[in-house]
Amino acid sequence: MAERILVINPNSSLSCTDGIAAAIAPFAAPGLPRLDVTRIVDGPPAIVTWRDWYGIAEPLCRLVESEPADAYIIGCVSDPGLEAVRTVTDKPVFGTLRCAIAAAMMRGERFGIVAFTDKSKPRQRRALQAMGVEDRLAGTVPLNLDMEVLTDPVAPRARLAEAARQLVALGAEAVILGCAGMASHRAFAEDACGVPVIEPCQAAVTQALLAVVAARAGRLRMAAE
Amino acid sequence: MAERILVINPNSSLSCTDGIAAAIAPFAAPGLPRLDVTRIVDGPPAIVTWRDWYGIAEPLCRLVESEPADAYIIGCVSDPGLEAVRTVTDKPVFGTLRCAIAAAMMRGERFGIVAFTDKSKPRQRRALQAMGVEDRLAGTVPLNLDMEVLTDPVAPRARLAEAARQLVALGAEAVILGCAGMASHRAFAEDACGVPVIEPCQAAVTQALLAVVAARAGRLRMAAE
Amino acid sequence: MAERILVINPNSSLSCTDGIAAAIAPFAAPGLPRLDVTRIVDGPPAIVTWRDWYGIAEPLCRLVESEPADAYIIGCVSDPGLEAVRTVTDKPVFGTLRCAIAAAMMRGERFGIVAFTDKSKPRQRRALQAMGVEDRLAGTVPLNLDMEVLTDPVAPRARLAEAARQLVALGAEAVILGCAGMASHRAFAEDACGVPVIEPCQAAVTQALLAVVAARAGRLRMAAE
Amino acid sequence: MAERILVINPNSSLSCTDGIAAAIAPFAAPGLPRLDVTRIVDGPPAIVTWRDWYGIAEPLCRLVESEPADAYIIGCVSDPGLEAVRTVTDKPVFGTLRCAIAAAMMRGERFGIVAFTDKSKPRQRRALQAMGVEDRLAGTVPLNLDMEVLTDPVAPRARLAEAARQLVALGAEAVILGCAGMASHRAFAEDACGVPVIEPCQAAVTQALLAVVAARAGRLRMAAE
Amino acid sequence: MAERILVINPNSSLSCTDGIAAAIAPFAAPGLPRLDVTRIVDGPPAIVTWRDWYGIAEPLCRLVESEPADAYIIGCVSDPGLEAVRTVTDKPVFGTLRCAIAAAMMRGERFGIVAFTDKSKPRQRRALQAMGVEDRLAGTVPLNLDMEVLTDPVAPRARLAEAARQLVALGAEAVILGCAGMASHRAFAEDACGVPVIEPCQAAVTQALLAVVAARAGRLRMAAE
Amino acid sequence: MAERILVINPNSSLSCTDGIAAAIAPFAAPGLPRLDVTRIVDGPPAIVTWRDWYGIAEPLCRLVESEPADAYIIGCVSDPGLEAVRTVTDKPVFGTLRCAIAAAMMRGERFGIVAFTDKSKPRQRRALQAMGVEDRLAGTVPLNLDMEVLTDPVAPRARLAEAARQLVALGAEAVILGCAGMASHRAFAEDACGVPVIEPCQAAVTQALLAVVAARAGRLRMAAE
């Protein structure tokens, strides 16, 4: 009965998928759309290269074609395949990086990104360019840690805190966690750096809620008129 | 117990305030923050002039100082007093226009605004400039109707449909309703023009939900660690 | 008989008002518009916060409504209330910051601002955004001194010289004094840093002279034709 | 004794030179710098081509080297040779187009240019690019009249009025007269189009007054200290 | 012995591949790198959708990995897979659209694109954004013809001429043929519209020549030193 | 019979002219246009000042008027007189700096310039502004060596290597040699800094080849049809 928002983790990491599920769980509530998370089982362990990024578009399209939902979220902070996925469904499709940028811009005029690796930056640049806000990026600081380290409850925190503080020193008035694998460290990072820290899957879920709940309300209103 | 998100309508119009309350009601759910709406009782009937816009900042600050909440939304699609209100609380404060722009940018690369009046444009320009996305505005089309006409269930629809279609013809891939008074017409406008139509108070409520629910989840996690 | 240009200091500081009067006095001459300076007697001691900035718009509007002049200048280097004041008179209204930016751009392609305090930057950003030249700002260096220190003939000079030199090192080809209270130090700062230093009230007075004298000449010509 | 501001008309037209002199005469006053106008006697009848524009730089440099003044103005609305002239004197040198753009931006956020000919636009683009405000140009409308027609008291007025109104329709909130030869028509054009009309030589003279008078005041102050 | 520049047509169309070969043949010469053209045999008949665009990246990578060359050109005017292909070779890889934009900018300050279909525009926007020159695009006019019509020696010419002229009317000072299938019509289109018309594969071949010949000359020089 | 591309060195330096000839020689081939180099015999020893830059436009125009060619290249990395020369011929005219920027942008999204002297930057800024890519410049590092030192096979190399590496550290993904006198050091600099290094005369020659060879092919095709 209820609508469904489907977050698709384009990598195959279970710990990353679990982290996404844990990050968005607090946004589930009775009467609101159900929040489901899935992953591309035969995707790469992480989207690290341009080849990963391009190559995952087709599996994402196929999954969306076979999994009905009222809104889709591409759960990787480089928005792979976004434009392609939009062509295979008439439901809204959200990129987590774009949603995180939008949310960060609601809290400050310059923002920074704690990146998964050195190599993430050029892909994130594309999302910034697509939104026309490349010059609002105060900086990018990479962690360069493995996905398994990143999703550890403790291991990445010292480096994450340092990265977030560096971004604030560069002028960031909000900070984006540049990989879904950092989701469990949001509050820690915010305490560490003193400016709002945005977790991209949470940001995307709330954009999806906006679209799905507003659509439902509209249908009810139009039916009642 | 539950957190509270407070939407402040800076004008005194009851029909406008009711329209905001109706627009955001579908985003209320058990376990999520309570959504309250209030208005500036001795505010102007609508924020139409620059003088209204500047003058309402102080009443907004005073109201926020006296009304505790976990997040505040300035419920007028020109974000009056936003920077001032941010200085009187350490809770997040959202501008509905900025949130609507952010939401529109999640659905397309160019967007348009159906404006309340001819005179709205220069104030909306300031929000676009603050976000650095002035060149993503496909156009602005004003309705030039009274607030009481605007909030009527039927009266403004033909003109609204025409305005939204004009914006699409100008290249808008999403359309923003430029006044909280148009809230009840969102679904109608979307049907009329064929691209996503964003109601700014709804967009702002979901940004506030992101901030408040993520903060709560963070507190719980940090307490549990 | 003669036209009148009225500079309104939106703060209540007498030393600041006197500094403005002294700064613009050399631009008075027989046959040219009279240059008057006034202040908002019950304004804040300085425009330091966003709340000051928004709140002073209404007193500025009222003063302009009651004080006839041929051009008005808002004598604070953050252009408070500019758009509002423009709606209450059909005479030209100038912001000193915008005029200083315009003057600085006549002397170099990048400019810097010696700011009154750390907190001045976000308000100055709005003027830069309104003019579309935010990326021409080489930097901002705050003095963080009290108004009474700032207007002292000697006390602030060492710090001012250092700030101006820092801006030149950042690429500034002209420097703007970011508060009317620094007016008496213009020549000193210019000697110290080696690039043109712009005093905003002087810059605004010459823009007002342009408007008022050109209008007078136009009236005479049109009458003669 | 008094300082001297020298406006150099880079073309050889006497009527154009006279027009400049008439335009700036109202800005002369006892105690202020003397305003002189000269022309490049063997310059072209008007600066119409890129070849004229480049070629006049050297004669301008030579004239400045031989004519002492406290500030120089290049009296052609395409700012020919500006950077070169700046290298042959340590006194300020102003371009009339840049000064007119700066003045127009003090009166509105978009401006238009009534151009001398179709061919003026690429040269004016360079000044807009140098200032970083190309996207603030609402439009350019050429008159395509001979210099002798342009300086006639009556002949060009109908076309000028139409051009100025077209620019306002394109969004211009201020209009720049794109050739010193139009100087005598400023008030007429302003009446015709309803927004401020800027005469570039007047705009440049006031910028030069700012520089020269502020420098004098600074010398006096430094001497007195 | 000689170096080899390999143009890869990412679609399977033989007529399109032949058109590319014919277009670049005049740039072959004794002593210069050999110019080869190949196609992705099991690619789509044309790159028309975002799904085609993302999906072809992997086949392009595989082909480049198996086909040695000194420089590679992606022979489709939407630069599919460019960043991915660059990661599988240390030889230069060129996108034909980017090269065409670069060449057009050598001939004028605004340019237009004759697009294959309505749907081409969003992909071309990405290349413009990556280069930071989106605001130099005067316009895009689609032909909306089948690939087989497009590569016909006569059939598309009337529509092509009209499209090119429309772009000039929109301010284009150079025109880009937006699909390799239009290659044989370059001279015709240039005659029709009167501004330089750029054929993207030719533009890319000359950029590849620059890279390969300069590298060879460098090796010879370094060896001789 | 064959077409001719003429590179005009606007300075009088023989060693610089020889360097250009050596740099472009590898792009000559049977059947392709002949590549000729000439110099302005009574030009300055190098284009170092704005006065040089403006003053050389007229000699360049005269030389082009008297020397028939199928395309012209202004062989100085500040593109002096480019717009003027374009008005005296209907053949394509290329600026070496613009061509180098275009080539650098084909290899990376940010680029740097090794400048001849400190004083080169403002002139190079004009070309960047004309192309609208000023914000893609990662930085400029001057060598500040005499032309005779610069063209020495060994003397400038240590400083050049250091400059190129500094640019890469600033984010440059490609490096431009900012003076034709550095031509013989291209491969050395590329080895030293690890990113593509562009020699502007080579870049310009390939753009000229594109124009001339495409035009010839077009003429042949149109004749055959």
Side-chain angles (χ1 to χ4, degrees), chain D residues 141-166:
Chain D
V141 176
L143 296 186
N144 292 322
L145 301 169
D146 286 342
M147 181 61 84
E148 296 312 306
V149 176
L150 200 63
T151 54
D152 184 274
V154 174
R157 291 206 165 174
R159 201 181 292 189
L160 176 57
E162 187 196 352
R165 283 190 206 111
Q166 266 181 275

PDB file of all heavy atoms in Angstrom, chain D residues 141-166:
ATOM      1  N   VAL D 141      22.649  48.048 -28.536  1.00  0.00           N
ATOM      2  CA  VAL D 141      21.889  48.445 -29.730  1.00  0.00           C
ATOM      3  C   VAL D 141      22.687  49.529 -30.438  1.00  0.00           C
ATOM      4  O   VAL D 141      22.970  50.574 -29.848  1.00  0.00           O
ATOM      5  CB  VAL D 141      20.481  48.962 -29.364  1.00  0.00           C
ATOM      6  CG1 VAL D 141      19.754  49.456 -30.606  1.00  0.00           C
ATOM      7  CG2 VAL D 141      19.674  47.873 -28.676  1.00  0.00           C
ATOM      8  N   PRO D 142      23.100  49.278 -31.687  1.00  0.00           N
ATOM      9  CA  PRO D 142      23.918  50.259 -32.416  1.00  0.00           C
ATOM     10  C   PRO D 142      23.060  51.328 -33.092  1.00  0.00           C
ATOM     11  O   PRO D 142      21.931  51.063 -33.495  1.00  0.00           O
ATOM     12  CB  PRO D 142      24.608  49.409 -33.471  1.00  0.00           C
ATOM     13  CG  PRO D 142      23.650  48.286 -33.736  1.00  0.00           C
ATOM     14  CD  PRO D 142      22.876  48.051 -32.463  1.00  0.00           C
ATOM     15  N   LEU D 143      23.618  52.526 -33.207  1.00  0.00           N
ATOM     16  CA  LEU D 143      22.931  53.586 -33.954  1.00  0.00           C
ATOM     17  C   LEU D 143      23.335  53.593 -35.422  1.00  0.00           C
ATOM     18  O   LEU D 143      22.542  53.932 -36.294  1.00  0.00           O
ATOM     19  CB  LEU D 143      23.242  54.956 -33.339  1.00  0.00           C
ATOM     20  CG  LEU D 143      22.735  55.173 -31.914  1.00  0.00           C
ATOM     21  CD1 LEU D 143      22.978  56.629 -31.494  1.00  0.00           C
ATOM     22  CD2 LEU D 143      21.248  54.854 -31.787  1.00  0.00           C
ATOM     23  N   ASN D 144      24.584  53.234 -35.689  1.00  0.00           N
ATOM     24  CA  ASN D 144      25.072  53.224 -37.071  1.00  0.00           C
ATOM     25  C   ASN D 144      24.886  54.560 -37.787  1.00  0.00           C
ATOM     26  O   ASN D 144      24.411  54.619 -38.914  1.00  0.00           O
ATOM     27  CB  ASN D 144      24.389  52.093 -37.872  1.00  0.00           C
ATOM     28  CG  ASN D 144      24.829  50.717 -37.397  1.00  0.00           C
ATOM     29  OD1 ASN D 144      25.993  50.521 -37.062  1.00  0.00           O
ATOM     30  ND2 ASN D 144      23.902  49.783 -37.334  1.00  0.00           N
ATOM     31  N   LEU D 145      25.257  55.626 -37.106  1.00  0.00           N
ATOM     32  CA  LEU D 145      25.206  56.961 -37.709  1.00  0.00           C
ATOM     33  C   LEU D 145      26.624  57.521 -37.808  1.00  0.00           C
ATOM     34  O   LEU D 145      27.502  57.146 -37.039  1.00  0.00           O
ATOM     35  CB  LEU D 145      24.372  57.905 -36.825  1.00  0.00           C
ATOM     36  CG  LEU D 145      22.921  57.490 -36.581  1.00  0.00           C
ATOM     37  CD1 LEU D 145      22.304  58.348 -35.481  1.00  0.00           C
ATOM     38  CD2 LEU D 145      22.125  57.624 -37.872  1.00  0.00           C
ATOM     39  N   ASP D 146      26.836  58.447 -38.722  1.00  0.00           N
ATOM     40  CA  ASP D 146      28.146  59.105 -38.818  1.00  0.00           C
ATOM     41  C   ASP D 146      28.384  59.984 -37.593  1.00  0.00           C
ATOM     42  O   ASP D 146      27.428  60.481 -36.976  1.00  0.00           O
ATOM     43  CB  ASP D 146      28.199  60.017 -40.060  1.00  0.00           C
ATOM     44  CG  ASP D 146      28.321  59.196 -41.317  1.00  0.00           C
ATOM     45  OD1 ASP D 146      28.697  58.013 -41.217  1.00  0.00           O
ATOM     46  OD2 ASP D 146      27.991  59.736 -42.388  1.00  0.00           O
ATOM     47  N   MET D 147      29.658  60.233 -37.288  1.00  0.00           N
ATOM     48  CA  MET D 147      29.994  61.075 -36.147  1.00  0.00           C
ATOM     49  C   MET D 147      29.344  62.450 -36.292  1.00  0.00           C
ATOM     50  O   MET D 147      28.856  63.010 -35.312  1.00  0.00           O
ATOM     51  CB  MET D 147      31.526  61.207 -36.041  1.00  0.00           C
ATOM     52  CG  MET D 147      32.012  62.034 -34.880  1.00  0.00           C
ATOM     53  SD  MET D 147      31.546  61.373 -33.265  1.00  0.00           S
ATOM     54  CE  MET D 147      32.869  60.171 -33.024  1.00  0.00           C
ATOM     55  N   GLU D 148      29.303  62.984 -37.506  1.00  0.00           N
ATOM     56  CA  GLU D 148      28.750  64.332 -37.672  1.00  0.00           C
ATOM     57  C   GLU D 148      27.239  64.343 -37.413  1.00  0.00           C
ATOM     58  O   GLU D 148      26.688  65.304 -36.890  1.00  0.00           O
ATOM     59  CB  GLU D 148      29.105  64.910 -39.054  1.00  0.00           C
ATOM     60  CG  GLU D 148      30.608  65.102 -39.259  1.00  0.00           C
ATOM     61  CD  GLU D 148      31.312  65.825 -38.095  1.00  0.00           C
ATOM     62  OE1 GLU D 148      30.873  66.929 -37.727  1.00  0.00           O
ATOM     63  OE2 GLU D 148      32.295  65.261 -37.542  1.00  0.00           O
ATOM     64  N   VAL D 149      26.574  63.275 -37.799  1.00  0.00           N
ATOM     65  CA  VAL D 149      25.140  63.177 -37.494  1.00  0.00           C
ATOM     66  C   VAL D 149      24.946  63.035 -35.988  1.00  0.00           C
ATOM     67  O   VAL D 149      24.070  63.654 -35.379  1.00  0.00           O
ATOM     68  CB  VAL D 149      24.509  61.969 -38.228  1.00  0.00           C
ATOM     69  CG1 VAL D 149      23.038  61.814 -37.831  1.00  0.00           C
ATOM     70  CG2 VAL D 149      24.666  62.113 -39.725  1.00  0.00           C
ATOM     71  N   LEU D 150      25.792  62.200 -35.398  1.00  0.00           N
ATOM     72  CA  LEU D 150      25.651  61.884 -33.978  1.00  0.00           C
ATOM     73  C   LEU D 150      25.761  63.122 -33.101  1.00  0.00           C
ATOM     74  O   LEU D 150      25.072  63.246 -32.081  1.00  0.00           O
ATOM     75  CB  LEU D 150      26.776  60.904 -33.592  1.00  0.00           C
ATOM     76  CG  LEU D 150      26.564  60.085 -32.340  1.00  0.00           C
ATOM     77  CD1 LEU D 150      25.352  59.183 -32.519  1.00  0.00           C
ATOM     78  CD2 LEU D 150      27.798  59.247 -32.062  1.00  0.00           C
ATOM     79  N   THR D 151      26.652  64.042 -33.498  1.00  0.00           N
ATOM     80  CA  THR D 151      26.885  65.221 -32.677  1.00  0.00           C
ATOM     81  C   THR D 151      25.924  66.365 -33.038  1.00  0.00           C
ATOM     82  O   THR D 151      25.982  67.423 -32.419  1.00  0.00           O
ATOM     83  CB  THR D 151      28.350  65.691 -32.812  1.00  0.00           C
ATOM     84  OG1 THR D 151      28.642  65.879 -34.201  1.00  0.00           O
ATOM     85  CG2 THR D 151      29.309  64.661 -32.234  1.00  0.00           C
ATOM     86  N   ASP D 152      25.068  66.126 -33.989  1.00  0.00           N
ATOM     87  CA  ASP D 152      24.037  67.120 -34.314  1.00  0.00           C
ATOM     88  C   ASP D 152      23.049  67.215 -33.154  1.00  0.00           C
ATOM     89  O   ASP D 152      22.733  66.216 -32.513  1.00  0.00           O
ATOM     90  CB  ASP D 152      23.305  66.698 -35.599  1.00  0.00           C
ATOM     91  CG  ASP D 152      22.292  67.740 -36.031  1.00  0.00           C
ATOM     92  OD1 ASP D 152      21.133  67.683 -35.530  1.00  0.00           O
ATOM     93  OD2 ASP D 152      22.649  68.607 -36.827  1.00  0.00           O
ATOM     94  N   PRO D 153      22.560  68.448 -32.875  1.00  0.00           N
ATOM     95  CA  PRO D 153      21.680  68.585 -31.716  1.00  0.00           C
ATOM     96  C   PRO D 153      20.349  67.852 -31.864  1.00  0.00           C
ATOM     97  O   PRO D 153      19.707  67.545 -30.867  1.00  0.00           O
ATOM     98  CB  PRO D 153      21.434  70.092 -31.609  1.00  0.00           C
ATOM     99  CG  PRO D 153      22.356  70.764 -32.541  1.00  0.00           C
ATOM    100  CD  PRO D 153      22.893  69.750 -33.497  1.00  0.00           C
ATOM    101  N   VAL D 154      19.930  67.573 -33.059  1.00  0.00           N
ATOM    102  CA  VAL D 154      18.590  67.013 -33.246  1.00  0.00           C
ATOM    103  C   VAL D 154      18.587  65.677 -33.993  1.00  0.00           C
ATOM    104  O   VAL D 154      17.892  64.729 -33.603  1.00  0.00           O
ATOM    105  CB  VAL D 154      17.687  68.017 -34.019  1.00  0.00           C
ATOM    106  CG1 VAL D 154      16.338  67.385 -34.347  1.00  0.00           C
ATOM    107  CG2 VAL D 154      17.482  69.289 -33.200  1.00  0.00           C
ATOM    108  N   ALA D 155      19.384  65.600 -35.035  1.00  0.00           N
ATOM    109  CA  ALA D 155      19.272  64.496 -35.993  1.00  0.00           C
ATOM    110  C   ALA D 155      19.212  63.093 -35.376  1.00  0.00           C
ATOM    111  O   ALA D 155      18.399  62.268 -35.800  1.00  0.00           O
ATOM    112  CB  ALA D 155      20.418  64.584 -37.006  1.00  0.00           C
ATOM    113  N   PRO D 156      20.029  62.748 -34.396  1.00  0.00           N
ATOM    114  CA  PRO D 156      20.055  61.349 -33.979  1.00  0.00           C
ATOM    115  C   PRO D 156      19.023  60.998 -32.916  1.00  0.00           C
ATOM    116  O   PRO D 156      18.971  59.855 -32.479  1.00  0.00           O
ATOM    117  CB  PRO D 156      21.467  61.212 -33.391  1.00  0.00           C
ATOM    118  CG  PRO D 156      21.763  62.563 -32.839  1.00  0.00           C
ATOM    119  CD  PRO D 156      21.042  63.555 -33.726  1.00  0.00           C
ATOM    120  N   ARG D 157      18.210  61.949 -32.483  1.00  0.00           N
ATOM    121  CA  ARG D 157      17.429  61.733 -31.275  1.00  0.00           C
ATOM    122  C   ARG D 157      16.346  60.652 -31.395  1.00  0.00           C
ATOM    123  O   ARG D 157      16.164  59.868 -30.459  1.00  0.00           O
ATOM    124  CB  ARG D 157      16.812  63.059 -30.801  1.00  0.00           C
ATOM    125  CG  ARG D 157      17.913  63.977 -30.290  1.00  0.00           C
ATOM    126  CD  ARG D 157      17.387  64.960 -29.290  1.00  0.00           C
ATOM    127  NE  ARG D 157      18.506  65.559 -28.565  1.00  0.00           N
ATOM    128  CZ  ARG D 157      18.365  66.558 -27.699  1.00  0.00           C
ATOM    129  NH1 ARG D 157      17.164  67.063 -27.464  1.00  0.00           N
ATOM    130  NH2 ARG D 157      19.415  67.031 -27.068  1.00  0.00           N
ATOM    131  N   ALA D 158      15.655  60.614 -32.503  1.00  0.00           N
ATOM    132  CA  ALA D 158      14.589  59.609 -32.602  1.00  0.00           C
ATOM    133  C   ALA D 158      15.194  58.217 -32.509  1.00  0.00           C
ATOM    134  O   ALA D 158      14.714  57.354 -31.764  1.00  0.00           O
ATOM    135  CB  ALA D 158      13.825  59.775 -33.921  1.00  0.00           C
ATOM    136  N   ARG D 159      16.288  58.019 -33.225  1.00  0.00           N
ATOM    137  CA  ARG D 159      16.891  56.695 -33.199  1.00  0.00           C
ATOM    138  C   ARG D 159      17.474  56.363 -31.819  1.00  0.00           C
ATOM    139  O   ARG D 159      17.414  55.224 -31.361  1.00  0.00           O
ATOM    140  CB  ARG D 159      17.981  56.579 -34.278  1.00  0.00           C
ATOM    141  CG  ARG D 159      18.224  55.102 -34.578  1.00  0.00           C
ATOM    142  CD  ARG D 159      19.283  54.813 -35.600  1.00  0.00           C
ATOM    143  NE  ARG D 159      18.920  55.229 -36.952  1.00  0.00           N
ATOM    144  CZ  ARG D 159      19.636  54.906 -38.022  1.00  0.00           C
ATOM    145  NH1 ARG D 159      20.716  54.141 -37.896  1.00  0.00           N
ATOM    146  NH2 ARG D 159      19.294  55.326 -39.205  1.00  0.00           N
ATOM    147  N   LEU D 160      18.030  57.375 -31.188  1.00  0.00           N
ATOM    148  CA  LEU D 160      18.608  57.174 -29.856  1.00  0.00           C
ATOM    149  C   LEU D 160      17.525  56.796 -28.843  1.00  0.00           C
ATOM    150  O   LEU D 160      17.695  55.881 -28.022  1.00  0.00           O
ATOM    151  CB  LEU D 160      19.327  58.463 -29.434  1.00  0.00           C
ATOM    152  CG  LEU D 160      19.932  58.513 -28.035  1.00  0.00           C
ATOM    153  CD1 LEU D 160      20.929  57.382 -27.811  1.00  0.00           C
ATOM    154  CD2 LEU D 160      20.631  59.865 -27.823  1.00  0.00           C
ATOM    155  N   ALA D 161      16.408  57.499 -28.904  1.00  0.00           N
ATOM    156  CA  ALA D 161      15.313  57.200 -27.972  1.00  0.00           C
ATOM    157  C   ALA D 161      14.843  55.759 -28.164  1.00  0.00           C
ATOM    158  O   ALA D 161      14.622  55.021 -27.198  1.00  0.00           O
ATOM    159  CB  ALA D 161      14.152  58.169 -28.207  1.00  0.00           C
ATOM    160  N   GLU D 162      14.722  55.365 -29.391  1.00  0.00           N
ATOM    161  CA  GLU D 162      14.261  54.008 -29.689  1.00  0.00           C
ATOM    162  C   GLU D 162      15.271  52.974 -29.167  1.00  0.00           C
ATOM    163  O   GLU D 162      14.897  51.962 -28.568  1.00  0.00           O
ATOM    164  CB  GLU D 162      14.108  53.868 -31.209  1.00  0.00           C
ATOM    165  CG  GLU D 162      13.475  52.570 -31.645  1.00  0.00           C
ATOM    166  CD  GLU D 162      13.706  52.327 -33.135  1.00  0.00           C
ATOM    167  OE1 GLU D 162      14.218  53.266 -33.813  1.00  0.00           O
ATOM    168  OE2 GLU D 162      13.412  51.215 -33.603  1.00  0.00           O
ATOM    169  N   ALA D 163      16.550  53.247 -29.375  1.00  0.00           N
ATOM    170  CA  ALA D 163      17.582  52.312 -28.915  1.00  0.00           C
ATOM    171  C   ALA D 163      17.556  52.180 -27.393  1.00  0.00           C
ATOM    172  O   ALA D 163      17.636  51.074 -26.845  1.00  0.00           O
ATOM    173  CB  ALA D 163      18.960  52.785 -29.388  1.00  0.00           C
ATOM    174  N   ALA D 164      17.432  53.294 -26.704  1.00  0.00           N
ATOM    175  CA  ALA D 164      17.435  53.250 -25.239  1.00  0.00           C
ATOM    176  C   ALA D 164      16.216  52.473 -24.735  1.00  0.00           C
ATOM    177  O   ALA D 164      16.323  51.680 -23.795  1.00  0.00           O
ATOM    178  CB  ALA D 164      17.451  54.671 -24.677  1.00  0.00           C
ATOM    179  N   ARG D 165      15.084  52.682 -25.367  1.00  0.00           N
ATOM    180  CA  ARG D 165      13.873  51.952 -24.942  1.00  0.00           C
ATOM    181  C   ARG D 165      14.010  50.456 -25.201  1.00  0.00           C
ATOM    182  O   ARG D 165      13.569  49.639 -24.411  1.00  0.00           O
ATOM    183  CB  ARG D 165      12.648  52.503 -25.676  1.00  0.00           C
ATOM    184  CG  ARG D 165      12.171  53.824 -25.121  1.00  0.00           C
ATOM    185  CD  ARG D 165      10.807  54.218 -25.708  1.00  0.00           C
ATOM    186  NE  ARG D 165      10.670  55.677 -25.676  1.00  0.00           N
ATOM    187  CZ  ARG D 165      10.671  56.455 -26.756  1.00  0.00           C
ATOM    188  NH1 ARG D 165      10.762  55.935 -27.982  1.00  0.00           N
ATOM    189  NH2 ARG D 165      10.553  57.763 -26.621  1.00  0.00           N
ATOM    190  N   GLN D 166      14.631  50.117 -26.313  1.00  0.00           N
ATOM    191  CA  GLN D 166      14.868  48.688 -26.607  1.00  0.00           C
ATOM    192  C   GLN D 166      15.711  48.042 -25.515  1.00  0.00           C
ATOM    193  O   GLN D 166      15.469  46.924 -25.090  1.00  0.00           O
ATOM    194  CB  GLN D 166      15.649  48.556 -27.920  1.00  0.00           C
ATOM    195  CG  GLN D 166      14.795  48.359 -29.155  1.00  0.00           C
ATOM    196  CD  GLN D 166      15.704  48.218 -30.375  1.00  0.00           C
ATOM    197  OE1 GLN D 166      16.090  49.241 -30.941  1.00  0.00           O
ATOM    198  NE2 GLN D 166      16.068  46.997 -30.738  1.00  0.00           N
TER     199      GLN D 166
END
